[in-house]
Amino acid sequence: MLLMNLQRLSASSLGGRSLCRRLTTQPNTQHPESLKRQQRQTQTQHESPPYKGQSFDEVVELRKQYLTPNVTSYYKKPLLIHKGSGSQLFDQDKSYLDMFGGIVTVSVGHCHPKVNAALEEQLRTLWHTTNIYMHPKLHQYAEKLVAKMPGDLKNVYFVNSGSEANDLAMMIARLYTGNHDIISFRNAYHGASPYTMGLTAHSTWRYPLPGLNSGILHAMNPDPYTGIWGGKQCRDSPVQTTRSCDCQEGQCKATDMYYDQLEQLFKYSLPRGKVAGMFAESIQGVGGTVQYTKGYIKRAAELVRANGGLFISDEVQSGFGRTGEHYWGFEAHDIVPDIVTMAKGIGNGFPMGAVVTSRKVAEVLCQALHFNTFGGNPLACAVGMAVLDVIDEEELQKNSLDVGTYMLKGLERLRDKHDVIGDVRGKGLMIGVELVADKETRQHLSAPHFVDIWEMCKDMGVLFGRGGLNANVLRIKPPMCITKADVDFSLQVLDIALRKHSEKTH
C-alpha cells in the first residue's frame, strides 16, 4: 500500500492532476475546520516511507562533530529529510510540501522518474572520462541546450555550479574587452567563491578578504518596493506594490531616476568608456525575489555596451521556464545578453552549471589552456537532457505561468487581509512575500516574528524559503510541477499562521 501511495504521489504531482496532502505534524493537533475540509478534499493520504538510518540525535551529533560550524540548518528543530517525490519531502515520520525546491534547484520534481532513468542508464555505461576525449552525451546535450537560446548564443562551456559559471563569465568579460571593472547591483547574489563574492552585494554573505572588490562596483538597485523610487506602476508582475506612484501606464519615472544614478556611476567611478561588463539576475533571488523597474535592464545593457562592456544575465534561479512567460528571465527585459550563466534547475538537483555565449566571445578562452575536470561529464549531460525533455513534455513552463499566477493572486488577497504582508511580487513560480512591521513605512518584520510565522508553516506541513537582506521575505520557488491544489493548501496554511501570529502579538 505504501508503494502504491508513493506511485500515486509521483504520478499526480508530475502529471498535473491534483496532488493530495495530509497534515502530519505535531504538536499542532487542533486545526481550523477549514483546513480539515481542505485535507478531506484530497484524493489520498501520504504516509512517510519508513526511515532506517541513524536517529535524529545521532545525526545532530555527527553534524556538530564533523561538519564545519558555519553549516547551519533551517528551523529550531531541523528536518532530517530522507526521501523526496514530486513536490513532497519526507523526514522520519512526516510529509511536507516543498515550496522552496531545494533552494530553487529542483525544477521538474524530486526524483522525477524520467530523470532518474536517464541517470541510471548512463551510470551503467560510462561515468567519467573528462573532455580530453569525446563522449556523445556532451555534444548531444550542448546542441539541445543552445537550441533554447536566442541570437548567436550558441557556444557553451559546462561547469558544476552557479558560482563557477559566474566566475568564468567574469574572466571571459575581462579577457574579451581588455577592461577590468565590472558592475553588479546592490542586493545581488552571484555566488560565494572568492571571485564572485565581490559581485555579491549582501554584507551577510561577505568575508573580510583583501581584494574582494577589486574592479567591482555596486550600482543602486532599482527596487520599486523598498528603493528610493518606485510604486504601483513600476513592476512587471501580476501583482503590483501598493506603494503610491506618479508614473503613467507605459512610462516609469522611477526607471529614469535609477538609470540616471547608473550614468553617474559611469561618469564618476569608471575609466571613461571602459567597462568589462555588468551582471544582473533577471529577478533577484537571494535578495528576496526583487524585480526591477520597467525598462531599466534594457537601458542598462545599452549603456554597458556603449562603454565597451558585455552584459551578463545570471539565470541560475530564473531560467528554464520558471518565470512562466518565457524560458529565460532575460527575455522579459527584451534583451539578448552577451553571456548567460545558469545552474540549479538545469540539473534538478544534480550539480551542474553552464556558461553560454557567442563564438566570437568564447574564442578568448583559446589564449591559454582552460579546463574543467567534471564539467560536462556523461552523468551530468544525461541528466541535463532529461530535464529539458521533461520541461517540454510536461509543459512545465506553462504550468509555472498558470499555477504561479494563481498563487500570486491568492497571495495578493492575503496581503490585503493581513497587515504583516507588505509586498507580494514575482512571476511564474519565482515568488517573494515580504513581511513587514508597518505597511506604511515598509519597516521589515523582525527576525523573531518572522521565524514564528515560518515555523508555524513548517509545523503545518509547508516549507518556505527565507531571503532578503533582512531575512524577512518568504521565498516561494517550488518544483515547477506543483498544482493548484498544492497552492490552495499553502495559502491556507500561511493564512492560519499569519492569523495565529496576529492573535499572539496584539
Side-chain angles (χ1 to χ4, degrees):
M1 180 61 69
L2 175 61
L3 179 59
M4 291 176 62
N5 283 343
L6 290 174
Q7 289 172 337
R8 289 194 199 101
L9 167 65
S10 180
S12 60
S13 61
L14 296 173
R17 297 192 297 275
S18 294
L19 175 61
C20 314
R21 301 225 25 98
R22 175 172 66 93
L23 195 65
T24 56
T25 55
Q26 294 176 348
N28 296 321
T29 56
Q30 300 299 318
H31 304 292
E33 185 60 32
S34 60
L35 188 56
K36 292 180 181 179
R37 286 198 301 271
Q38 170 75 10
Q39 295 158 25
R40 287 197 294 268
Q41 290 172 359
T42 59
Q43 294 174 337
T44 62
Q45 290 187 341
H46 304 298
E47 300 176 16
S48 179
Y51 173 65
K52 299 178 181 179
Q54 293 163 309
S55 71
F56 178 87
D57 291 339
E58 287 174 324
V59 172
V60 168
E61 194 56 39
L62 290 170
R63 190 177 182 88
K64 288 180 180 178
Q65 186 172 356
Y66 295 114
L67 272 63
T68 55
N70 65 302
V71 178
T72 57
S73 301
Y74 268 9
Y75 306 117
K76 294 174 183 177
K77 182 181 178 181
L79 301 177
L80 181 56
I81 299 297
H82 71 100
K83 184 174 176 62
S85 181
S87 57
Q88 192 168 15
L89 289 171
F90 299 91
D91 72 357
Q92 302 117 293
D93 54 6
K94 302 181 184 70
S95 63
Y96 298 89
L97 178 61
D98 180 11
M99 295 301 286
F100 198 24
I103 314 184
V104 209
T105 297
V106 180
S107 49
V108 301
H110 292 281
C111 297
H112 191 287
K114 181 161 185 168
V115 180
N116 283 6
L119 179 60
E120 290 166 3
E121 180 182 359
Q122 183 59 47
L123 64 82
R124 285 193 295 268
T125 57
L126 180 66
W127 281 43
H128 185 68
T129 64
T130 78
N131 297 330
I132 57 175
Y133 307 117
M134 292 191 295
H135 63 86
K137 285 291 193 297
L138 171 66
H139 306 84
Q140 294 166 16
Y141 180 41
E143 181 182 29
K144 201 175 188 74
L145 180 62
V146 300
K148 298 289 187 182
M149 308 300 298
D152 59 357
L153 295 169
K154 299 303 180 187
N155 276 217
V156 58
Y157 190 101
F158 292 110
V159 293
N160 307 287
S161 70
S163 290
E164 279 189 54
N166 285 329
D167 201 283
L168 179 60
M170 290 176 71
M171 186 174 77
I172 290 174
R174 284 169 166 162
L175 286 172
Y176 181 79
T177 63
N179 301 327
H180 183 66
D181 293 299
I182 292 177
I183 301 167
S184 67
F185 286 123
R186 299 172 192 169
N187 200 55
Y189 181 89
H190 295 288
S193 70
Y195 207 35
T196 59
M197 196 181 295
L199 293 174
T200 293
H202 279 242
S203 59
T204 50
W205 290 94
R206 291 165 64 92
Y207 290 99
L209 297 171
L212 197 65
N213 265 39
S214 176
I216 296 175
L217 300 93
H218 299 134
M220 182 181 287
N221 199 35
D223 177 359
Y225 179 64
T226 60
I228 298 175
W229 305 290
K232 60 186 178 180
Q233 300 290 338
C234 297
R235 194 165 63 199
D236 178 20
S237 172
V239 180
Q240 294 295 332
T241 173
T242 57
R243 183 181 180 185
S244 61
C245 179
D246 295 330
C247 301
Q248 303 298 316
E249 188 172 346
Q251 180 187 20
C252 183
K253 294 180 181 178
T255 289
D256 294 337
M257 291 182 279
Y258 283 120
Y259 181 77
D260 179 67
Q261 290 297 307
L262 183 64
E263 285 189 316
Q264 298 298 313
L265 187 70
F266 275 80
K267 184 179 294 185
Y268 291 105
S269 302
L270 289 165
R272 181 169 296 179
K274 293 185 181 298
V275 66
M278 181 174 184
F279 276 76
E281 302 162 87
S282 295
I283 298 175
Q284 290 180 337
V286 172
T289 320
V290 173
Q291 295 176 272
Y292 314 117
T293 55
K294 292 177 182 177
Y296 177 95
I297 290 294
K298 185 173 184 178
R299 293 176 65 181
E302 292 169 352
L303 181 62
V304 168
R305 288 165 175 159
N307 284 271
L310 302 181
F311 195 85
I312 301 107
S313 285
D314 181 334
E315 293 287 328
V316 170
Q317 296 190 32
S318 56
F320 296 93
R322 177 162 293 278
T323 59
E325 288 181 349
H326 303 95
Y327 203 88
W328 305 108
F330 64 75
E331 294 176 285
H333 298 291
D334 191 27
I335 65 168
V336 177
D338 300 293
I339 303 175
V340 179
T341 60
M342 57 192 74
K344 288 189 179 285
I346 190 175
N348 201 47
F350 198 92
M352 297 174 60
V355 177
V356 182
T357 188
S358 66
R359 184 75 174 186
K360 182 179 179 181
V361 173
E363 285 175 348
V364 299
L365 290 176
C366 298
Q367 295 177 18
L369 291 175
H370 188 79
F371 183 71
N372 190 299
T373 300
F374 295 106
N377 68 78
L379 296 176
C381 291
V383 167
M385 283 195 287
V387 168
L388 294 178
D389 288 341
V390 172
I391 292 171
D392 290 344
E393 292 165 3
E394 298 184 6
E395 297 184 319
L396 295 185
Q397 180 184 334
K398 182 178 184 300
N399 193 64
S400 292
L401 177 62
D402 294 344
V403 177
T405 302
Y406 178 79
M407 185 165 201
L408 281 161
K409 292 298 185 181
L411 290 166
E412 182 180 33
R413 291 190 291 273
L414 291 185
R415 180 200 66 190
D416 296 340
K417 179 180 179 181
H418 296 282
D419 289 339
V420 75
I421 297 182
D423 194 33
V424 172
R425 52 185 178 254
K427 298 182 74 173
L429 288 173
M430 190 160 184
I431 298 171
V433 180
E434 185 150 350
L435 303 187
V436 296
D438 186 295
K439 275 191 173 180
E440 291 298 317
T441 64
R442 302 185 298 281
Q443 173 66 31
H444 68 272
L445 191 67
S446 65
H449 291 302
F450 181 95
V451 168
D452 180 56
I453 295 166
W454 191 48
E455 291 273 356
M456 279 193 281
C457 291
K458 184 266 288 184
D459 289 342
M460 288 187 283
V462 179
L463 306 180
F464 293 120
R466 187 180 182 187
L469 181 64
N470 298 301
N472 67 315
V473 179
L474 294 171
R475 294 178 65 194
I476 303 175
K477 284 101 176 180
M480 296 188 294
C481 60
I482 68 160
T483 66
K484 290 183 178 180
D486 294 330
V487 169
D488 290 338
F489 181 78
S490 300
L491 292 173
Q492 199 158 18
V493 163
L494 181 57
D495 188 21
I496 293 167
L498 294 173
R499 179 177 58 78
K500 288 188 174 184
H501 174 75
S502 179
E503 291 171 353
K504 286 193 292 185
T505 54
H506 289 87

